[in-house]
């Protein structure tokens, strides 16, 4: 059953990603399409745990929740939200043993976790936003600013 859920998630990811409209003002802001995708998967599959959605072990997920503030600082310091090189951004989006430049016990795909939190912050601040409206948003800078995202403090 666990493998079936994993394949369902991968299938839905592919279908949803193929229909996403990327942010227009910077090519790197296509990264935010991935962030919205994780939020969409969560809504499409409410039965799935956060570890299933992110394909993290419980230990990896706990690392992200425990180090959210540090990840945020890392991404800001490295200017990764403004990075136009897909090769640089992919180090934090694609599956990997860890995230480059972060502690060795960090999981891969830390950008996806952080982005998912940003989308949650936005949707909490603007609860009447529909999924369709979220998908069609194309100003990533405004989205990030409007979210007023602040990492959890542990």
């Amino acid at each position: 059953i666990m493998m079936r859920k994993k394949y369902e998630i991968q299938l839905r990811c592919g279908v949803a990603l193929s229909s996403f409209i990327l942010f227009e003002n910077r090519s790197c802001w296509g990264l935010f399409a991935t962030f919205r995708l994780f939020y969409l998967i969560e809504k499409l599959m409410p039965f799935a745990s956060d570890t299933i959605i992110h394909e993290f072990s419980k230990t990896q997920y706990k690392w992200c929740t425990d180090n959210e503030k540090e990840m945020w600082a890392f991404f800001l310091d490295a200017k990764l939200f403004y990075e136009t090189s897909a090769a640089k951004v992919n180090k934090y989006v694609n599956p990997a043993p860890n995230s480059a430049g972060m502690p060795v016990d960090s999981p891969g795909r830390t950008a996806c976790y952080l982005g998912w939190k940003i989308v949650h912050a936005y949707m909490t601040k603007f609860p009447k936003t529909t999924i369709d409206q979220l998908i069609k948003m194309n100003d990533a800078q405004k989205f990030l600013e409007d979210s007023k995202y602040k990492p959890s403090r542990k």
Side-chain angles (χ1 to χ4, degrees):
I1 293 177
M2 186 65 107
M3 288 300 290
R4 181 173 175 220
K5 287 182 182 178
K6 180 178 177 180
Y7 290 123
E8 284 181 50
I9 290 170
Q10 290 172 341
L11 175 62
R12 290 174 194 245
C13 284
V15 170
L17 188 57
S18 68
S19 65
F20 263 56
I21 299 169
L22 299 180
F23 286 110
E24 296 170 353
N25 60 350
R26 291 185 183 267
S27 60
C28 68
W29 289 92
L31 182 63
F32 278 85
T34 302
F35 298 171
R36 293 179 291 182
L37 176 62
F38 279 87
Y39 182 84
L40 178 61
I41 292 167
E42 177 186 37
K43 295 303 173 193
L44 289 172
M45 301 177 68
F47 61 86
S49 71
D50 294 340
T51 57
I52 295 289
I53 290 169
H54 291 282
E55 293 185 83
F56 284 155
S57 68
K58 288 180 182 180
T59 303
Q60 290 171 320
Y61 188 81
K62 184 175 180 347
W63 189 95
C64 288
T65 60
D66 289 349
N67 293 282
E68 188 176 335
K69 182 180 175 186
E70 292 79 6
M71 286 191 299
W72 177 250
F74 177 85
F75 276 80
L76 288 177
D77 290 345
K79 297 179 176 46
L80 289 169
F81 290 119
Y82 303 96
E83 181 57 59
T84 57
S85 167
K88 289 181 183 177
V89 171
N90 284 342
K91 293 177 186 179
Y92 307 98
V93 174
N94 292 333
N98 59 29
S99 290
M102 292 187 188
V104 294
D105 53 340
S106 68
R109 290 195 318 256
T110 50
C112 297
Y113 172 86
L114 201 55
W116 175 66
K117 298 294 281 191
I118 292 167
V119 175
H120 266 273
Y122 183 92
M123 296 302 279
T124 299
K125 189 158 178 56
F126 301 100
K128 292 185 179 183
T129 304
T130 66
I131 295 295
D132 189 51
Q133 290 168 330
L134 176 66
I135 290 170
K136 290 180 180 175
M137 290 178 183
N138 63 5
D139 187 339
Q141 183 68 43
K142 182 173 173 22
F143 181 85
L144 184 58
E145 290 169 4
D146 289 351
S147 77
K148 304 282 191 227
Y149 170 76
K150 297 286 183 209
S152 297
R153 303 201 188 277
K154 296 272 176 180

